[in-house]
Amino acid sequence: MDEELKTNVLSPEIWMRLLVMVLMVICANVSLWVLWLVASLQFLFSLVLGRPNENIDEFSTGLLAYLRQIFEFLVFKTDDRPFPFAPFPRDDEE
């Protein structure tokens, strides 16, 4: 058991994942601020025009998919690294 623990602790892959996880937490925080901005803009469009903006709606779909990718990576549900290590999710990639 001690040898397995030592191997795990000295594994460069797990430390690289930690580094990427820290970066992804920063990206998630920035993305959440962008999400608030998008939600505010959609509210204003709905208030003024009576409907949400379609372009912002498409962007928000990609943003939500991106946040999902980040959270799945953070909780070890996937090993696939999100943007900027992979393409930003598009509207049609759910």
Side-chain angles (χ1 to χ4, degrees), residues 8-80:
N8 291 339
V9 169
L10 296 176
S11 170
E13 291 85 20
I14 196 73
W15 293 107
M16 180 56 72
R17 184 175 179 111
L18 175 64
L19 183 63
V20 174
M21 288 174 70
V22 169
L23 177 63
M24 290 295 96
V25 167
I26 293 168
C27 289
N29 278 307
V30 170
S31 297
L32 288 172
W33 281 102
V34 172
L35 183 66
W36 274 109
L37 177 64
V38 166
S40 300
L41 287 172
Q42 286 294 55
F43 177 79
L44 290 174
F45 272 101
S46 294
L47 187 66
V48 174
L49 301 177
R51 59 181 164 65
N53 181 289
E54 292 178 21
N55 292 327
I56 296 174
D57 184 53
E58 289 178 24
F59 173 74
S60 66
T61 301
L63 183 61
L64 292 171
Y66 177 55
L67 284 165
R68 180 181 181 95
Q69 287 178 357
I70 290 174
F71 294 136
E72 286 180 351
F73 180 78
L74 290 175
V75 299
F76 286 74
K77 188 162 178 72
T78 183
D79 289 327
D80 298 333

